[in-house]
């Protein structure tokens, strides 16, 4: 076992997602939210009771993110950015989806300043017709920060920079933490792996889900450089994203997918969890005021 891990990976419950994505730990409620994009479901796991709550969603949704209000979440949907009341299971459209034909929403996260950053990707996962967008409360439309992206993934902020990826290009990028400027970004190859979503530890370890690679790849961010450390095998073929959580922020949760697998294994599509030796960074919250 890697020195990074303190336990083996195990499945949380019996649910198996077609495309599990965007796990988000809510420190206030001590629960984990994630979505099954293709099944149009929002899932919520309560470790204290081992309960999983499942809400059906009316449309394709790629992320459910925290806001400054308890149990009010931000949904990134095919129709746009929506305010979601978890108890009432009701939504309110805040901003329409960008006019980007042939795309759907994908990666999303809340930035340190309380704004929403998200990516749009090619539905066919082939052409660079997607982009990175930023939305803050009160905007009538999301602002395009970077175009010519195929499959946007990974959003973490560290050392005054934002780190993100394009899965199709097999590259990571870093740039200004407040707004992506294509003319002022650095590029790093992910080598033989396809980078999907990532988690960040407090000491700057970037834990990346290698979609199709059956592993996590651990990197160290150090003074603007991205240094590969090691690979951590997983009991699933298509890990899609990961995040830290738990009362001590030392549990790593990993979402996965069953889509396009001819013979999926017992755990493919599961939410996985394992104890680690490091603490993760808490999620930022969207600011309405």
């Amino acid at each position: 076992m890697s020195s990074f891990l303190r336990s083996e990976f195990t499945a949380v419950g019996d649910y198996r997602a077609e495309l599990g994505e965007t796990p988000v730990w809510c420190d206030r409620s001590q629960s984990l939210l994630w979505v099954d994009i293709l099944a149009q479901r929002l899932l919520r796991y309560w470790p204290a009771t081992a309960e999983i709550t499942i809400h059906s969603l009316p449309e394709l949704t790629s992320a459910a993110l925290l806001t400054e209000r308890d149990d009010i979440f931000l949904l990134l949907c095919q129709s746009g950015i929506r305010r979601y009341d978890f108890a009432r299971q009701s939504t309110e459209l805040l901003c329409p989806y960008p006019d980007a034909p042939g795309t759907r929403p994908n990666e999303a996260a809340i930035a340190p300043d309380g704004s929403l950053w998200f990516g749009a990707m090619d539905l066919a996962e082939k052409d660079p017709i997607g982009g990175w967008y930023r939305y803050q409360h009160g905007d009538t439309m999301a602002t395009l920060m970077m175009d010519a992206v195929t499959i946007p993934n990974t959003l973490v902020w560290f050392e005054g920079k934002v780190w993100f990826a394009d899965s199709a290009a097999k590259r990571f990028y870093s740039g200004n933490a407040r707004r992506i400027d294509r003319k002022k970004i650095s590029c790093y190859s992910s080598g033989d792996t396809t980078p999907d979503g990532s988690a960040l530890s407090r000491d700057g370890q970037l834990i990346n889900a290698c979609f199709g690679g059956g592993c996590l790849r651990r990197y160290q961010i150090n003074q603007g450089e991205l240094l590969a450390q090691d690979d951590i095998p997983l009991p699933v073929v298509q890990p899609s994203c990961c995040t830290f959580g738990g009362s001590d922020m030392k549990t790593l949760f990993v979402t996965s997918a069953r889509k396009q697998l001819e013979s999926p294994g017992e755990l493919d599509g599961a939410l996985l969890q394992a104890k680690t030796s490091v603490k993760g960074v808490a999620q930022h919250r969207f600011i309405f005021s």
Side-chain angles (χ1 to χ4, degrees), residues 69-253:
R69 301 174 186 172
D70 290 350
D71 265 18
I72 300 296
F73 302 105
L74 211 63
L75 299 184
L76 180 60
C77 307
Q78 186 68 73
S79 64
I81 302 161
R82 291 184 172 272
R83 176 184 180 276
Y84 185 72
D85 186 315
F86 190 85
R88 294 183 173 85
Q89 298 187 48
S90 62
T91 70
E92 173 192 353
L93 183 65
L94 301 178
C95 177
Y97 183 70
D99 184 15
T103 71
R104 70 161 175 83
N106 196 46
E107 183 79 345
I110 305 302
D113 65 0
S115 63
L116 167 69
W117 290 34
F118 67 94
M121 63 172 280
D122 175 24
L123 283 167
E125 303 181 11
K126 294 180 180 180
D127 298 321
I129 60 173
W132 284 108
Y133 295 83
R134 181 182 182 274
Y135 167 79
Q136 64 182 30
H137 185 63
D139 289 348
T140 56
M141 291 294 296
T143 301
L144 177 65
M145 296 186 289
M146 180 175 173
D147 61 3
V149 177
T150 305
I151 306 177
N153 267 307
T154 290
L155 272 177
V156 301
W157 286 261
F158 189 70
E159 293 181 339
K161 292 187 175 184
V162 63
W163 292 82
F164 55 103
D166 187 335
S167 299
K170 294 189 175 182
R171 291 177 180 173
F172 289 100
Y173 305 89
S174 67
N176 186 284
R178 294 190 62 84
R179 194 177 299 264
I180 297 172
D181 182 347
R182 179 179 282 280
K183 298 178 182 178
K184 299 179 181 179
I185 58 175
S186 300
C187 177
Y188 306 85
S189 171
S190 66
D192 59 345
T193 66
T194 299
D196 209 315
S198 297
L200 180 70
S201 73
R202 294 185 184 181
D203 62 353
Q205 294 184 52
L206 181 77
I207 317 301
N208 179 252
C210 303
F211 196 86
C215 70
L216 302 172
R217 179 161 290 179
R218 193 162 60 101
Y219 297 86
Q220 181 67 53
I221 302 174
N222 184 22
Q223 297 182 354
E225 295 295 321
L226 189 66
L227 309 173
Q229 302 295 302
D230 56 16
D231 290 352
I232 301 170
L234 294 173
V236 296
V237 177
Q238 297 179 149
S240 55
C241 194
C242 51
T243 196
F244 286 97
S247 58
D248 59 0
M249 291 299 289
K250 286 188 173 183
T251 300
L252 187 68
F253 294 98

Side-chain angles (χ1 to χ4, degrees), residues 258-279:
R258 296 169 69 87
K259 71 162 192 168
Q260 299 175 351
L261 292 179
E262 293 184 4
S263 301
E266 178 184 351
L267 295 184
D268 285 310
L271 172 70
L272 305 176
Q273 64 178 354
K275 295 296 292 184
T276 74
S277 60
V278 300
K279 284 191 174 185

